[in-house]
C-alpha cells in the first residue's frame, strides 16, 4: 500500500492507521540526482524515522549513521521528531568537500551528524506549512537552531517555491509523516557554523566595512562565549518537583547568545561612507568626540556606534516580536518590543514588520530578511536597509516618548537564550536563583515557576511566578531621563499572595494584595459594556484607587476576551518617579504573607507623565 502526501495531524489516530497498514512496500528511488521527483518518495503509516531511512535506498548512508552512532533505538521509539535527512548523493558531496571517506568518521562524528539534523520536541513536529523565514522554534539535538529560508527553483521548466535549511540545504521532499514524527529529505548536509559572529561576518562579501570597524573596536571579543562556565546545574540530568507540587524542567546549561544588526557595504556606500574614517565621522555626529584615538574605549564614538548594533540575546528575524496568539487581532500591527543594546543603557524599539526605531512620521530602519539570519556559533547577523544610530533627539522626543511596555520574560536575556521565552506553552520550567545574574536576583527562600498558556489572561502567554518566603529584585530596562508612572500587570487569583513593593530600594505604599480581583471595592472595576462612556469615567475612578484595567491589545487566545475585558487582569500603579539620568531601575517584591502563596510577574510599563492624557486603552 503506497500513499502519497499522507498528513496525520492527530497522533492519537496513528495506531488505527498503523493497524490498517498491513502491507508496506518500501519506497525506492530511480535516480541518484538531487532533483528527485516527489513520486519517488512515499510516506508509510506505522514507519518510524529510523525505518523510513532504512527502507529508502537513497537514504542508506544516513540510515547507517543512525545505527552506528547508537541512535537506532531512539529514532525507533514513539516521540515528536523532526528529521532533515540528507540523500546519499549529499553525503558523496560532503565527503568530497571535506576530503574524507566514510571510514574516517568516528562514532562521535556520526552522533554529531545525526543530532545536527534532528529536532526533538515534547509535543509537536515541524511540517512545511508552519515554516517561517528564520530559525525554527526548537533547536536541534546539538542545541543549534535551523534557519528556514525560501527561494524559487526551476524543475523541468516549472517554477515553484523551494525551502532551504541554513541557506544551503534544499528540501527535496517534505512532510513525510511517520509514527514518531516527520522526515524532510534534503540535498546538502546541515553543518552549523563553528565560528563566532565576527569571524562569520568577515567571511561575508557584503559586510567588509562593518566587520573592519567591529574588529577595530574589539567588540567581537565580548561575544565569544557560548555557555556560562560558572553556572551550576540545579538538578543534573533530572527534572524537579517544586514545593508547590508543579513538575518543572530546570535549565541544565546556561547558554549565551548575541544578535548583530549590520549595515551592508552597499547601504553605507549609498550614504557616502567608503572607509572606516568615513564611518568614524558619522559616529562623531551622534556619539561625540571622546577617546577618538582609542577605538576600544567604550566612550569612543565608533565603539558606541557598533555597540548600538549589538544585543546580548540570540534572535532570528522571526523572533524580534511576539508571534503567538495572545494578541488581539486588531493590534497585530501594533506589536512591539524594547531591547537593551550593548551601548550602555540605551534601548532599541522593534515593531511588527521588523521595523527598528519607528518615528511618528512612519520612517524606520528596516531588516533585509533574505540577507539576514546569518548564523554563527552563538547568534545571528542581520542586514539593515538603512544606517542605524541612537539619535538622542529622535529617541527621547519621539521613539521612546510614549508608554513603554515590557513583558517580564523579555528582560533577562537568559530566558531568550535558553529558549524559554514564548516556548514553554503548557510547560513548567524552573531556573536556579543564579541563572539570570544581575537581571533577576532571588533570595535563597525563593522558588520560581516559568509557565505559559494561551488559555490564560496573560500578556504574551508567559508568566513568571515566585513562591516561598521570596524577596526578589528584577532590573528594569533603562529609560531616558524624565518623570514616569511605573505599573505592573498581574492576574488576580486566590493562590496569589501579598507583597511589599520597592522601586530603587525605596518602599512604595502599602503591601499589594494580588488576590484582589476587579470586583473588590478597593479596585472598582466595571465592564466597559456596562458604562455609557466606554469605561472612561471608571478608568479615572480605578486610577484614584491605584489600579488600571488590563491592556486591550492583549487577549486570552482560547477564550477570546482581551485583558481589559477580564476583571481578574489588572495593572497596579506603583508610583510616579523622576529619573535625572539614563540608568537601570529595580523592582523589588518581598513576601509579607505566607510561604504557600505566590507573586506573579506578567508585564511592566513606564509611562511619561506628559503622555498620560494621550495614552490609549491598548
Amino acid at each position: 500500500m503506497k500513499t502519497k502526501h499522507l498528513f496525520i495531524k492527530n497522533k492519537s489516530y496513528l495506531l488505527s492507521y498503523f493497524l490498517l497498514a498491513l502491507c508496506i512496500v518500501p519506497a525506492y528511488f530511480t535516480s541518484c540526482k538531487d532533483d528527485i521527483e516527489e513520486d519517488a518518495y512515499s510516506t508509510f503509516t506505522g514507519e518510524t524515522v529510523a525505518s523510513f531511512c532504512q527502507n529508502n535506498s537513497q537514504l542508506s548512508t544516513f540510515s547507517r549513521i543512525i545505527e552506528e552512532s547508537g541512535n537506532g533505538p531512539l529514532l525507533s521509539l514513539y516521540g515528536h521528531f523532526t528529521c532533515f535527512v540528507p540523500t546519499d548523493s549529499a553525503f558523496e558531496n560532503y565527503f568530497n568537500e571535506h576530503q574524507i571517506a566514510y571510514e574516517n568518521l568516528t562514532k562521535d562524528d556520526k552522533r554529531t551528524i545525526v543530532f545536527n539534523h534532528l529536532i526533538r520536541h515534547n509535543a509537536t513536529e515541524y511540517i512545511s506549512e508552519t515554516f517561517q523565514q528564520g530559525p525554527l522554534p526548537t533547536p536541534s539535538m546539538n542545541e543549534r537552531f535551523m534557519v528556514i529560508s525560501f527561494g524559487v527553483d526551476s524543475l523541468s521548466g516549472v517554477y515553484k517555491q523551494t525551502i532551504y535549511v541554513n541557506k544551503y540545504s534544499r528540501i527535496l521532499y517534505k512532510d513525510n509523516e511517520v509514527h514518531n514524527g516527520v522526515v524532510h529529505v534534503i540535498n546538502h548536509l546541515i553543518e552549523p557554523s563553528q565560528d563566532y559572529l565576527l569571524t562569520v561576518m568577515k567571511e561575508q562579501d557584503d559586510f567588509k566595512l562593518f566587520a573592519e570597524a567591529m574588529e577595530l573596536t574589539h567588540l567581537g571579543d565580548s561575544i565569544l562565549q557560548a555557555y556560562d562556565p560558572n553556572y551550576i546545574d540545579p538538578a543534573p540530568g533530572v527534572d524537579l518537583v517544586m514545593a508547590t507540587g508543579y513538575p518543572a524542567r530546570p535549565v541544565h546549561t546556561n547558554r549565551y547568545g548575541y544578535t548583530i544588526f549590520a549595515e551592508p557595504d552597499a547601504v553605507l556606500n549609498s550614504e557616502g561612507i567608503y572607509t572606516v574614517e568615513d564611518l568614524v565621522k558619522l559616529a562623531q555626529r551622534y556619539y561625540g568626540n571622546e577617546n577618538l584615538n582609542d577605538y576600544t574605549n567604550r566612550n569612543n564614538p565608533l565603539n558606541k556606534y557598533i555597540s548600538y548594533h549589538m544585543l546580548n540575546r540570540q534572535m532570528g528575524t522571526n523572533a524580534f516580536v511576539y508571534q503567538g496568539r495572545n494578541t488581539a487581532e486588531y493590534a497585530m500591527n501594533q506589536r512591539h518590543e524594547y531591547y537593551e543594546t550593548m551601548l550602555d543603557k540605551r534601548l532599541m524599539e522593534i515593531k511588527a514588520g521588523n521595523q527598528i526605531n519607528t518615528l511618528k512620521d512612519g520612517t524606520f530602519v528596516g531588516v533585509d530578511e533574505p540577507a539576514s539570519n546569518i548564523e554563527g556559533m552563538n547568534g545571528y547577523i542581520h542586514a539593515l536597509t538603512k544606517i542605524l544610530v541612537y539619535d538622542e533627539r529622535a529617541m527621547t522626543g519621539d521613539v521612546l516618548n510614549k508608554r513603554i511596555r515590557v513583558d517580564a520574560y523579555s528582560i533577562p536575556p537568559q530566558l531568550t537564550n535558553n529558549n524559554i521565552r514564548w516556548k514553554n506553552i503548557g510547560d513548567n520550567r524552573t531556573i536556579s536563583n543564579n541563572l539570570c545574574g544581575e537581571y533577576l536576583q532571588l533570595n535563597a527562600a525563593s522558588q520560581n515557576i516559568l509557565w505559559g498558556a494561551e488559555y490564560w489572561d496573560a500578556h504574551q502567554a508567559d508568566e513568571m511566578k515566585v513562591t516561598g518566603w521570596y524577596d526578589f529584585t528584577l532590573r528594569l530596562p533603562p529609560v531616558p531621563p524624565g518623570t514616569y508612572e511605573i505599573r505592573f500587570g498581574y492576574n488576580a487569583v486566590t493562590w496569589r499572595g501579598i507583597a511589599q513593593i520597592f522601586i530603587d530600594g525605596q518602599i512604595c505604599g502599602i503591601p499589594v494584595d494580588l488576590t484582589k480581583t476587579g470586583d473588590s471595592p478597593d479596585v472598582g472595576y466595571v465592564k466597559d459594556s456596562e458604562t455609557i462612556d466606554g469605561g472612561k469615567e471608571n478608568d479615572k475612578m480605578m486610577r484614584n484607587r491605584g489600579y488600571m484595567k488590563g491592556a486591550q491589545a492583549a487577549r486570552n487566545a482560547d477564550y477570546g476576551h482581551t485583558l481589559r475585558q477580564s476583571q481578574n487582569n489588572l495593572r497596579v500603579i506603583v508610583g510616579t518617579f523622576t529619573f535625572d539620568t539614563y540608568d537601570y531601575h529595580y523592582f523589588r517584591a518581598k513576601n509579607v504573607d505566607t510561604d504557600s502563596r505566590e507573586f506573579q510577574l506578567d508585564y511592566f510599563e513606564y509611562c511619561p507623565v506628559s503622555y498620560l492624557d494621550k495614552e490609549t486603552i491598548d
Side-chain angles (χ1 to χ4, degrees):
M1 182 174 65
K2 180 176 177 179
T3 308
K4 181 182 175 185
H5 295 309
L6 178 61
F7 301 102
I8 302 173
K9 305 299 184 190
N10 190 333
K11 295 296 181 185
S12 67
Y13 294 111
L14 276 170
L15 181 59
S16 299
Y17 282 110
F18 176 72
L19 293 174
L20 289 173
L22 299 177
C23 180
I24 298 176
V25 180
Y28 62 92
F29 300 93
T30 59
S31 170
C32 291
K33 297 186 301 181
D34 285 338
D35 293 335
I36 300 173
E37 296 290 343
E38 292 187 357
D39 287 338
Y41 291 85
S42 300
T43 300
F44 298 99
T45 46
E47 282 200 310
T48 64
V49 172
S51 66
F52 180 89
C53 296
Q54 184 179 20
N55 290 335
N56 287 283
S57 61
Q58 287 301 306
L59 307 180
S60 61
T61 307
F62 193 75
S63 178
R64 182 180 174 187
I65 288 176
I66 288 174
E67 295 302 322
E68 294 179 2
S69 65
N71 287 295
L74 172 70
L75 293 177
S76 298
L77 295 174
Y78 177 75
H80 295 279
F81 296 100
T82 302
C83 194
F84 296 87
V85 180
T87 62
D88 288 347
S89 58
F91 274 100
E92 290 175 13
N93 293 332
Y94 173 80
F95 295 136
N96 290 332
E97 289 170 4
H98 293 272
Q99 297 183 342
I100 60 172
Y102 184 93
E103 291 69 25
N104 299 126
L105 298 177
T106 66
K107 186 173 182 178
D108 284 344
D109 292 335
K110 294 170 185 176
R111 178 182 179 275
T112 297
I113 289 173
V114 172
F115 282 8
N116 277 343
H117 294 80
L118 187 65
I119 295 172
R120 187 179 191 179
H121 194 275
N122 64 343
T124 191
E125 50 273 337
Y126 297 105
I127 59 176
S128 62
E129 67 183 37
T130 67
F131 290 168
Q132 295 179 347
Q133 182 125 323
L136 290 172
T138 305
S140 73
M141 291 188 67
N142 265 345
E143 297 189 352
R144 298 295 296 273
F145 287 92
M146 301 182 192
V147 176
I148 299 296
S149 57
F150 302 94
V152 177
D153 276 359
S154 175
L155 183 63
S156 301
V158 178
Y159 287 90
K160 65 177 184 178
Q161 186 182 65
T162 57
I163 305 171
Y164 293 87
V165 184
N166 285 16
K167 297 187 182 291
Y168 298 108
S169 300
R170 180 161 59 94
I171 296 181
L172 301 174
Y173 192 72
K174 60 192 178 186
D175 301 328
N176 295 276
E177 295 204 28
V178 293
H179 183 65
N180 58 351
V182 63
V183 174
H184 305 286
V185 180
I186 57 177
N187 74 337
H188 191 283
L189 267 69
I190 297 171
E191 300 179 74
S193 174
Q194 300 304 308
D195 293 325
Y196 292 105
L197 290 175
L198 179 55
T199 300
V200 172
M201 184 181 290
K202 289 166 66 176
E203 294 171 349
Q204 307 298 311
D205 293 330
D206 300 330
F207 300 98
K208 298 297 185 184
L209 185 52
F210 193 96
E212 182 184 354
M214 188 171 179
E215 190 166 34
L216 286 172
T217 63
H218 287 198
L219 285 167
D221 297 343
S222 64
I223 57 174
L224 291 180
Q225 289 185 299
Y227 294 92
D228 179 0
N230 300 315
Y231 177 69
I232 299 173
D233 186 346
V238 299
D239 290 349
L240 303 173
V241 176
M242 306 298 292
T244 55
Y246 290 109
R249 295 187 298 115
V251 176
H252 296 298
T253 57
N254 184 16
R255 287 185 61 94
Y256 290 125
Y258 303 93
T259 299
I260 300 176
F261 297 97
E263 292 92 354
D265 293 338
V267 170
L268 293 173
N269 295 165
S270 69
E271 296 295 329
I273 298 170
Y274 294 92
T275 65
V276 168
E277 290 73 20
D278 294 335
L279 198 55
V280 170
K281 291 177 182 178
L282 171 71
Q284 286 178 265
R285 286 164 46 192
Y286 296 96
Y287 301 112
N289 299 302
E290 285 191 63
N291 302 101
L292 278 178
N293 297 319
D294 183 3
Y295 295 131
T296 65
N297 189 293
R298 296 309 300 267
N299 291 320
N300 173 273
L302 184 65
N303 194 294
K304 287 184 174 183
Y305 177 88
I306 299 296
S307 296
Y308 190 65
H309 289 71
M310 300 169 63
L311 308 179
N312 63 349
R313 60 191 73 211
Q314 176 175 304
M315 297 187 297
T317 55
N318 58 351
F320 298 149
V321 298
Y322 176 60
Q323 302 285 337
R325 299 169 57 231
N326 278 32
T327 298
E329 291 184 9
Y330 81 90
M332 293 297 285
N333 289 333
Q334 299 179 24
R335 289 170 297 156
H336 61 275
E337 301 290 339
Y338 296 93
Y339 295 114
E340 183 182 343
T341 69
M342 293 180 69
L343 175 60
D344 187 40
K345 302 182 180 72
R346 297 301 188 271
L347 293 180
M348 173 187 295
E349 179 194 69
I350 306 182
K351 298 183 71 173
N354 293 341
Q355 302 177 4
I356 301 176
N357 294 346
T358 304
L359 298 170
K360 291 184 177 69
D361 65 8
T363 59
F364 59 88
V365 177
V367 176
D368 182 357
E369 286 205 47
S372 296
N373 296 308
I374 302 168
E375 62 109 16
M377 178 182 288
N378 58 350
Y380 297 104
I381 300 165
H382 304 301
L384 297 174
T385 62
K386 294 181 181 179
I387 289 177
L388 175 66
V389 294
Y390 189 91
D391 183 329
E392 188 75 32
R393 179 179 297 179
M395 295 299 289
T396 59
D398 190 333
V399 176
L400 300 178
N401 186 28
K402 59 193 173 194
R403 178 187 60 216
I404 297 173
R405 178 181 296 154
V406 290
D407 193 272
Y409 272 52
S410 75
I411 297 173
Q414 292 85 355
L415 300 186
T416 296
N417 292 331
N418 290 291
N419 213 37
I420 297 174
R421 187 185 182 201
W422 303 332
K423 308 294 175 59
N424 64 327
I425 301 297
D427 192 15
N428 290 299
R429 300 296 302 266
T430 187
I431 56 175
S432 61
N433 288 1
N434 70 326
L435 176 75
C436 295
E438 60 194 355
Y439 294 93
L440 177 61
Q441 301 175 48
L442 302 109
N443 66 339
S446 298
Q447 292 185 327
N448 66 82
I449 290 288
L450 305 176
W451 179 71
E454 293 177 328
Y455 64 80
W456 197 248
D457 294 345
H459 182 255
Q460 298 187 357
D462 290 332
E463 68 172 20
M464 186 185 304
K465 302 181 288 186
V466 187
T467 64
W469 285 112
Y470 59 79
D471 186 351
F472 70 86
T473 300
L474 183 69
R475 193 181 84 179
L476 300 181
V479 290
T483 301
Y484 296 87
E485 185 174 271
I486 294 181
R487 318 137 176 177
F488 72 91
Y490 75 100
N491 186 279
V493 286
T494 57
W495 54 84
R496 308 283 192 235
I498 302 173
Q500 181 62 58
I501 306 301
F502 304 78
I503 294 292
D504 293 341
Q506 300 299 311
I507 195 167
C508 298
I510 63 173
V512 176
D513 185 351
L514 300 187
T515 68
K516 285 185 179 179
T517 57
D519 58 356
S520 166
D522 294 344
V523 179
Y525 176 101
V526 178
K527 291 182 179 180
D528 291 350
S529 59
E530 296 176 358
T531 68
I532 60 174
D533 60 355
K536 293 180 180 179
E537 191 62 31
N538 184 232
D539 286 343
K540 295 177 183 178
M541 294 175 62
M542 287 181 62
R543 284 187 60 84
N544 290 336
R545 296 179 172 95
Y547 289 91
M548 297 175 65
K549 295 176 181 177
Q552 177 73 1
R555 69 168 184 168
N556 180 315
D558 283 1
Y559 289 95
H561 59 261
T562 68
L563 300 193
R564 182 175 173 86
Q565 293 167 336
S566 169
Q567 70 171 14
N568 282 29
N569 200 278
L570 300 168
R571 284 176 277 185
V572 171
I573 301 172
V574 179
T576 301
F577 306 87
T578 297
F579 307 129
D580 296 327
T581 61
Y582 281 96
D583 210 342
Y584 300 115
H585 302 288
Y586 296 86
F587 175 93
R588 177 187 172 198
K590 182 178 181 180
N591 187 353
V592 295
D593 187 9
T594 170
D595 65 351
S596 63
R597 300 199 177 191
E598 66 185 28
F599 191 97
Q600 184 211 28
L601 293 173
D602 193 0
Y603 63 98
F604 293 85
E605 293 176 344
Y606 289 103
C607 188
V609 294
S610 60
Y611 193 80
L612 289 175
D613 60 346
K614 305 181 189 70
E615 187 178 12
T616 68
I617 63 173
D618 293 327

